[in-house]
Amino acid sequence: GGGQLSEHAVGGANGSETGSSRDLMLNNMFEGDGGDQEEEEEEVPEDITSLPPHEQQRIIKQRAFIMLAIGTTLVLIFSDPMVDVMQEIASRAGLNSFYVAFVLAPLASNASEVIASQYYAAKKTRKTITVSLTALEGAASMNNTFCLSIFM
């Protein structure tokens, strides 16, 4: 691994990813739960380990912003074709496009939650498993609330 950096310095990068600001908040919420006393240390990219912490934080935030801009651009590019694909799947299957979108869109939109939760769960500590499950439960609650509002 690389050098170590406190969560304060890494907070900018984690807070910029889709769904990850909630994961960081949940992670911080369970910091003092008395369970695991082991300290989890964040990985720092090898190329910035020799820099002072404030400079590391600036670079991590800058990289996070760039990744966010790239992600936003990709969403703008691929969202319209994705809608067209869902409509085509519905027409070929002889189904109403609403029902196809109602199933496929949440799977696509929650992929980041699943990946982040899988990353946390892979660490196999009590705290990270709790964060992982809490993030998934939050996503499920949000989807169910959204669906409830559609049908009301």
Side-chain angles (χ1 to χ4, degrees):
Q4 307 307 322
L5 186 64
S6 71
E7 284 189 18
H8 285 283
V10 179
N14 286 341
S16 298
E17 296 174 9
T18 304
S20 291
S21 61
R22 182 175 65 241
D23 293 345
L24 181 62
M25 179 188 70
L26 293 171
N27 195 9
N28 289 338
M29 214 171 24
F30 292 103
E31 285 271 327
D33 66 355
D36 297 345
Q37 291 300 323
E38 62 192 57
E39 181 67 28
E40 292 188 30
E41 298 174 355
E42 296 290 335
E43 291 293 321
V44 177
E46 292 287 333
D47 60 330
I48 63 172
T49 55
S50 62
L51 300 174
H54 70 280
E55 189 67 20
Q56 288 178 356
Q57 183 180 16
R58 186 188 66 76
I59 291 172
I60 289 172
K61 285 181 180 179
Q62 183 180 29
R63 289 179 183 176
F65 179 77
I66 290 169
M67 289 170 55
L68 183 64
I70 291 169
T72 301
T73 303
L74 290 174
V75 166
L76 290 173
I77 292 170
F78 290 109
S79 61
D80 192 39
M82 183 177 165
V83 169
D84 294 339
V85 167
M86 283 193 221
Q87 287 177 339
E88 187 63 27
I89 289 171
S91 67
R92 288 186 184 192
L95 300 171
N96 186 333
S97 60
F98 171 79
Y99 298 117
V100 173
F102 195 74
V103 172
L104 293 181
L107 292 176
S109 66
N110 288 331
S112 66
E113 298 284 339
V114 172
I115 292 169
S117 294
Q118 187 177 16
Y119 169 76
Y120 274 113
K123 291 184 178 182
K124 297 182 181 176
T125 65
R126 181 173 178 238
K127 182 170 73 171
T128 58
I129 296 289
T130 303
V131 168
S132 176
L133 292 173
T134 305
L136 290 174
E137 288 173 3
S141 297
M142 191 169 56
N143 285 344
N144 290 338
T145 303
F146 180 67
C147 293
L148 180 65
S149 68
I150 287 175
F151 290 121
M152 290 185 93

